[in-house]
Amino acid sequence: MTAEVLPGPGSATWDRLGQWRLLLVIHRSLLLQAAHPAIGAAVSRFSVYNARPWRRLFRTLESLQTYVYGSASEQRRELARLERLHRRMQGTDDHGRPFTAADVQARAWVHLTLYDAVLTAQQLGGDPLSPEETARLYAEWRRLGQVFGLAEDDMPATPEDFRDYFDRMVADVLEDNATVRDLLSGSIHRVPPPPGLPIPALVWAPLRHLVVTAVVQATVATLPAVYRERLRLTVAPGADLLVAGLHRAARLTSDLLPKPWRYLPLAAAAIRADDVRPRSRVAPTPESFFTTVLDQSGDGVLRWSDLLAMARELSTHLDLDEDDETAVHDAFRSWWAQLCTATGTPPDGAVTLDGYRSAQAGDRYPGPPDPDRGYGAVAAAIRRLIDRDANGEVRPAEYTRLLDRSPRSHEVIAALRDLDHNGDGTLNSDEFETAVQDFLTGHRDLPAARHLLGRA
């Protein structure tokens, strides 16, 4: 089983897992995972979640999104990282029992609690999955489990079998331990303000108490009754109704938002990239390319100001210094000169759609790419900016760093990842330059270029 066959666009996993509303049950899932003896002991001995709760939460969410929405190479690296991490978590718990986070049964439980989280969020939100959708999601989640090294026999075969398995785990395996108690009352009451929010301590202390109390009560209200009784927890009067109301409000609010806004950042970026991906399989017509890419102002003609707007957008995404910005400006000016010559337009004039089509029909444009002039110079400039060390390949870490200040960094990075056709984690800069040339001349669509030039 390889990462290339993981659930992708259009799958139930993609549609459900990365939604913001899933955060409403994430504390419940973490508690159920920690209730497994091996996981509870590993977290107690090796995790720093109680000292760095926000870092731990953000890293967990990033990992979850990466192995569902990441590229093939990103998924492989994340899987390898998790395997190394869990292999090192082993020892003896407070009862003298040996444990390891790499235990197959423990890993299966952690994996399957995330499937249960989706079902729970949907149920509480008032839009439970149909039997068909449940079966599809579970089949995909089993496939993902196999990527994590779980065998088919390590996971229940069907959603019905999963329900029996879940009930048995709750009744016979989950326990009351220090990590569970800490999640219910200890560490989360020491949570500092979220990073970047300058909340005074006098304000944060009562606010934290209210929020944490609500989170704990919501978790208690949604725990399996058998396990809740084992912990001797009681549900506050009306808590179950309040939890259901909160989930339904979150669902209704989410349904009103544009689709990408319903998802966590990495998931949203992958979804946005996929939304434009189908167009890349079909070459645009001269009319559609002229109107949707070249004519930035939307006034029906092409002027130097339209190409200048593209240059400015590219400079913004890559946060260029003066020298690089000047090189980009000169390349786009050369492209404008080429278009003017091919269409017989004065430099201070406007290229019409008819003139553009006539230049193409008469073979006056675009002609062979020249890295020193015209659209070829623009493609070469973009290639040099992306492949800074000119070694012929660009790894995700390189273009992620380049786009760190981009106002739409997640979308651009996801679109660039889509060009990693063989999943080895790199972009071939020669192939990238050729793809940009084809895009600039209207011979193919290229989501990455659309994002970089401002017409995505």
Side-chain angles (χ1 to χ4, degrees):
M1 181 69 63
T2 64
E4 284 76 11
V5 299
L6 286 175
S11 67
T13 301
W14 260 55
D15 289 344
R16 307 292 180 181
L17 195 76
Q19 295 191 46
W20 284 104
R21 55 186 282 207
L22 196 70
L23 295 184
L24 293 176
V25 296
I26 198 69
H27 185 253
R28 173 186 183 273
S29 296
L30 293 175
L31 190 143
L32 288 173
Q33 292 170 9
H36 189 286
I39 300 302
V43 171
S44 177
R45 295 292 179 84
F46 297 101
S47 178
V48 295
Y49 76 92
N50 52 0
R52 300 286 188 273
W54 293 111
R55 185 178 74 181
R56 183 66 265 157
L57 175 62
F58 295 154
R59 188 67 191 90
T60 297
L61 294 176
E62 180 183 342
S63 176
L64 178 64
Q65 293 175 84
T66 298
Y67 72 68
V68 172
Y69 300 95
S71 69
S73 58
E74 288 170 329
Q75 289 168 337
R76 285 196 293 267
R77 285 196 296 274
E78 182 61 18
L79 294 172
R81 185 191 72 82
L82 290 173
E83 183 179 351
R84 293 193 302 271
L85 175 68
H86 293 153
R87 191 169 59 241
R88 297 184 180 110
M89 290 184 174
Q90 53 183 309
T92 304
D93 68 13
D94 293 338
H95 301 286
R97 299 172 300 189
F99 73 87
T100 171
D103 176 76
V104 171
Q105 291 184 354
R107 288 166 54 208
W109 174 245
V110 169
H111 180 68
L112 291 170
T113 54
L114 295 173
Y115 162 76
D116 174 72
V118 174
L119 297 186
T120 301
Q122 296 288 148
Q123 184 73 37
L124 292 172
D127 56 341
L129 299 184
S130 67
E132 294 76 19
E133 187 75 355
T134 300
R136 187 161 74 103
L137 176 65
Y138 188 67
E140 294 168 2
W141 207 244
R142 273 173 53 86
R143 288 219 314 271
L144 191 59
Q146 290 177 266
V147 173
F148 277 98
L150 298 173
E152 289 189 8
D153 292 342
D154 295 329
M155 299 172 284
T158 67
E160 295 75 21
D161 293 338
F162 166 79
R163 183 47 53 195
D164 293 337
Y165 158 84
F166 185 88
D167 291 342
R168 288 197 307 272
M169 290 292 293
V170 170
D172 302 332
V173 177
L174 302 193
E175 64 181 14
D176 184 359
N177 59 39
T179 304
V180 167
R181 290 297 173 176
D182 201 37
L183 287 170
L184 286 172
S185 62
S187 65
I188 53 177
H189 284 280
R190 300 188 296 270
V191 174
L197 294 183
I199 304 177
L202 290 177
V203 175
W204 175 244
L207 179 62
R208 174 178 55 196
H209 178 76
L210 290 174
V211 172
V212 166
T213 300
V215 168
V216 170
Q217 287 299 319
T219 297
V220 171
T222 57
L223 285 175
V226 171
Y227 186 58
R228 188 168 58 232
E229 291 170 4
R230 184 174 308 146
L231 298 181
R232 294 183 174 83
L233 300 173
T234 58
V235 179
D240 51 349
L241 294 177
L242 289 174
V243 169
L246 176 62
H247 277 269
R248 290 184 182 235
R251 189 256 297 180
L252 292 173
T253 301
S254 178
D255 289 346
L256 294 174
L257 298 174
K259 184 178 179 181
W261 293 12
R262 304 171 194 172
Y263 292 83
L264 294 160
L266 296 181
I271 288 168
R272 285 192 179 99
D274 183 65
D275 284 343
V276 297
R277 189 172 297 142
R279 294 198 297 269
S280 67
R281 300 178 187 138
V282 179
T285 64
E287 291 83 356
S288 66
F289 181 73
F290 187 93
T291 57
T292 65
V293 177
L294 295 178
D295 180 15
Q296 294 268 314
S297 65
D299 63 358
V301 295
L302 175 62
R303 296 183 174 86
W304 161 238
S305 58
D306 292 302
L307 268 63
L308 180 60
M310 294 187 200
R312 286 198 301 265
E313 187 75 12
L314 181 64
S315 299
T316 298
H317 280 299
L318 298 177
D319 193 30
L320 302 182
D321 59 24
E322 184 176 356
D323 289 343
D324 285 334
E325 194 171 282
T326 298
V328 167
H329 180 280
D330 292 345
F332 275 87
R333 175 65 81 174
S334 175
W335 187 21
W336 173 243
Q338 181 186 37
L339 284 163
C340 289
T341 299
T343 59
T345 302
D348 60 350
V351 175
T352 65
L353 175 59
D354 286 342
Y356 179 75
R357 283 188 299 204
S358 176
Q360 288 187 317
D363 291 331
R364 298 187 302 278
Y365 181 82
D370 182 343
D372 296 321
R373 63 180 294 273
Y375 72 89
V378 173
I382 295 175
R383 181 247 180 92
R384 286 194 295 271
L385 293 171
I386 297 295
D387 185 10
R388 285 285 187 175
D389 57 6
N391 68 345
E393 62 180 29
V394 190
R395 296 195 64 81
E398 292 181 76
Y399 56 73
T400 298
R401 186 166 56 251
L402 288 171
L403 292 161
D404 181 58
R405 296 182 181 273
S406 167
R408 299 183 67 183
S409 60
H410 289 303
E411 291 93 328
V412 182
I413 291 168
L416 285 168
R417 284 203 307 259
D418 191 46
L419 297 175
D420 175 18
H421 299 300
N422 62 5
D424 67 354
T426 63
L427 301 179
N428 181 290
S429 53
D430 287 335
E431 293 177 356
F432 176 66
E433 183 175 357
T434 299
V436 174
Q437 292 167 357
D438 290 343
F439 170 78
L440 295 176
T441 54
H443 289 121
R444 66 173 288 186
D445 203 358
L446 191 65
R450 278 183 176 269
H451 282 295
L452 288 170
L453 301 181
R455 289 309 297 265

